[in-house]
């Protein structure tokens, strides 16, 4: 068993910002990165909206910067999962995947969110055989090929234009007659010649045995069913917060986002704080995640002072 002052769960912008603040405040934070160190920016292309990077910055490189900064102040960064928690007592108990029990005076939850899947036939079976939720990770494998991508938000807009630079043709499947992506992103979609938008269209099945050979689609207005001959199928329909491990101890909304006191990072358990996309379904930006990570570390620091730790 290990006793610590401050545990940070998650290593995206929120987790690293919390680590930088907690470490500089002398809380000797221990960070468990979870399965995707760096969080969602690891599967992002250029980040152009993070202040301080006038030319933009590649997502994984930006997260390497965050990590170096957290490590510079001696955050103890461990590439492992937290698989169980017990928030019943004043000292918060957590267990790692390898079975280590940790007793932490404060816990900062920065577990972020993960990609959602459609749940249609073929999607699961053909994952890593042509089905992907990350164009930036996997687009390379479909160079000069024909691919389809589903979604109508900023992620779908960004990923479809990214794929269009690599692939021969990209079919963007939008289930309504409009996209919810921001205007500037929609303009990029419309101005990309090898990107075909299929309005009112939903995929029904991903086809193929050892690899994707096509996708069966339905026009939601006419009910016409047809097949697109594609070798790649990308899903970009939003995200689910990674909060299941806390469900017995903390309040969550219907979508699984952790509930915090408005304007603060307090969960209902004293000493347990939540930040980043795990608790933010409105803004979900790297900069807002980092901002709430900072808030969580400041809240943790004040809590420890109040507790006399
Ligand atoms: P969103 O929740 O914004 O959009 C999800 C999209 O997927 C919607 O268009 C939705 O359709 C569609 N969808 C959901 N379920 C299905 C389904 N079963 N079948 C077909 N389509 C479906 O998620 P995003 O990941 O796009 O964006 C999340 C947040 O991140 C947003 O705030 C966005 O602005 C931000 N973001 C910003 C970026 C940037 O600034 N560079 C890049 C990427 C994301 P419908 O509209 O009909 O509900």
């Amino acid at each position: 068993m290990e006793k610590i002052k401050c545990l940070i769960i998650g290593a995206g912008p929120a987790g690293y910002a919390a680590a930088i603040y907690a470490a500089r405040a002398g809380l000797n934070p221990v960070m468990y990165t979870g399965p995707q160190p760096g969080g969602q920016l690891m599967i992002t292309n250029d980040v152009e909206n993070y202040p301080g990077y006038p030319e933009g910055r590649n997502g994984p490189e930006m997260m390497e910067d965050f990590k170096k900064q957290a490590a510079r102040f001696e955050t103890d960064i461990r590439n492992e999962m937290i698989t169980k928690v017990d928030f019943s007592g004043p000292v918060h108990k957590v267990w790692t995947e390898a079975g280590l029990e940790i007793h932490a005076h404060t816990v900062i939850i920065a577990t972020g969110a993960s990609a959602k899947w459609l749940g249609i036939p073929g999607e699961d079976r053909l994952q890593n055989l042509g089905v992907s939720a990350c164009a930036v990770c996997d687009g390379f494998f479909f160079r000069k090929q024909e691919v389809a991508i589903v979604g109508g938000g900023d992620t779908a807009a960004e990923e479809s234009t990214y794929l269009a630079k690599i692939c021969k043709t990209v079919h963007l499947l939008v289930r309504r007659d409009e996209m919810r992506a921001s205007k500037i992103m929609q303009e990029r979609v419309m101005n990309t010649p090898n990107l075909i938008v299929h309005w009112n269209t939903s995929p029904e099945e991903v086809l193929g045995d050892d690899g994707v050979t096509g996708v069966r689609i339905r026009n939601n207005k006419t009910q016409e069913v047809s097949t697109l001959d594609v070798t790649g199928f990308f899903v970009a329909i939003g995200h689910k917060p990674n909060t299941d491990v806390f469900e017995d101890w903390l309040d969550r909304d219907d979508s699984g986002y952790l509930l915090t006191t408005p304007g603060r990072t307090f969960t209902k358990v004293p000493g347990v704080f939540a930040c980043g996309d795990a608790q933010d379904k409105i803004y979900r930006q790297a900069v807002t995640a980092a901002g709430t990570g900072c808030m969580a570390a400041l809240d943790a620091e004040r809590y420890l002072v109040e507790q006399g730790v």
Side-chain angles (χ1 to χ4, degrees):
M1 196 265 286
E2 183 180 4
K3 288 185 181 177
I4 60 172
K5 274 190 193 170
C6 179
L7 172 73
I8 298 169
I9 312 176
Y16 282 129
I20 292 161
Y21 273 78
R24 296 185 82 251
L27 307 191
N28 308 116
V30 173
M31 169 187 271
Y32 276 81
T33 64
Q36 191 177 70
Q40 291 177 70
L41 286 194
M42 297 304 283
I43 54 170
T44 300
N45 208 358
D46 286 336
V47 181
E48 294 178 334
N49 52 11
Y50 199 94
Y53 291 92
E55 306 303 327
R57 186 89 164 114
N58 168 276
E61 286 171 7
M62 181 187 263
M63 292 326 295
E64 195 54 35
D65 290 347
F66 274 55
K67 184 180 172 184
K68 279 186 194 149
Q69 198 173 350
R72 183 180 149 213
F73 298 110
E74 294 177 5
T75 302
D76 183 346
I77 301 172
R78 304 175 185 176
N79 287 329
E80 215 191 312
M81 288 266 285
I82 296 296
T83 50
K84 189 178 147 194
V85 304
D86 177 347
F87 292 158
S88 59
V91 170
H92 313 297
K93 296 178 186 169
V94 308
W95 286 263
T96 69
E97 205 172 9
L100 175 67
E101 182 175 335
I102 297 175
H103 290 190
H105 286 288
T106 58
V107 177
I108 295 176
I109 299 170
T111 45
S114 300
K116 278 188 195 165
W117 295 98
L118 293 157
I120 58 172
E123 181 187 52
D124 198 28
R125 185 172 50 83
L126 291 164
Q127 251 176 55
N128 300 325
L129 294 171
V131 173
S132 166
C134 177
V136 178
C137 316
D138 300 326
F140 176 79
F141 300 115
F142 303 93
R143 264 178 311 167
K144 301 195 173 126
Q145 298 176 37
E146 200 143 330
V147 301
I149 177 165
V150 190
D154 279 330
T155 301
E158 187 179 81
E159 299 208 339
S160 58
T161 48
Y162 174 80
L163 287 170
K165 289 183 202 150
I166 303 169
C167 304
K168 187 171 144 218
T169 310
V170 177
H171 299 271
L172 175 60
L173 312 181
V174 180
R175 68 178 172 182
R176 293 186 289 132
D177 57 5
E178 60 178 359
M179 294 179 74
R180 72 168 64 205
S182 54
K183 199 162 175 286
I184 185 168
M185 301 293 269
Q186 289 197 42
E187 277 167 12
R188 281 184 202 170
V189 168
M190 301 311 163
N191 291 331
T192 304
N194 61 334
L195 205 174
I196 302 165
V197 184
H198 299 254
W199 301 106
N200 301 301
T201 300
S202 293
E204 293 206 317
E205 182 176 2
V206 191
L207 308 169
D209 294 324
D210 304 327
V212 172
T213 55
V215 55
R216 193 157 49 79
I217 56 172
R218 179 182 293 272
N219 184 301
N220 299 323
K221 283 229 160 116
T222 63
Q223 300 306 323
E224 190 191 334
V225 174
S226 55
T227 300
L228 284 175
D229 294 328
V230 294
T231 49
F233 181 74
F234 291 85
V235 180
I237 60 165
H239 295 84
K240 177 187 180 298
N242 302 317
T243 58
D244 287 352
V245 72
F246 310 110
E247 71 171 330
D248 292 340
W249 304 100
L250 302 177
D251 289 337
R252 304 190 298 167
D253 73 5
D254 294 344
S255 309
Y257 288 90
L258 293 171
L259 297 180
T260 49
T261 305
R264 306 303 298 262
T265 64
F266 305 149
T267 66
K268 74 170 185 187
V269 176
V272 177
F273 307 92
C275 54
D277 286 13
Q279 55 82 54
D280 171 22
K281 66 173 175 189
I282 299 171
Y283 302 105
R284 297 185 289 196
Q285 301 300 300
V287 67
T288 50
T292 55
C294 157
M295 288 162 63
L298 294 176
D299 284 339
E301 185 191 353
R302 283 175 198 152
Y303 172 85
L304 288 170
V305 171
E306 281 162 19
Q307 299 296 308
V309 177

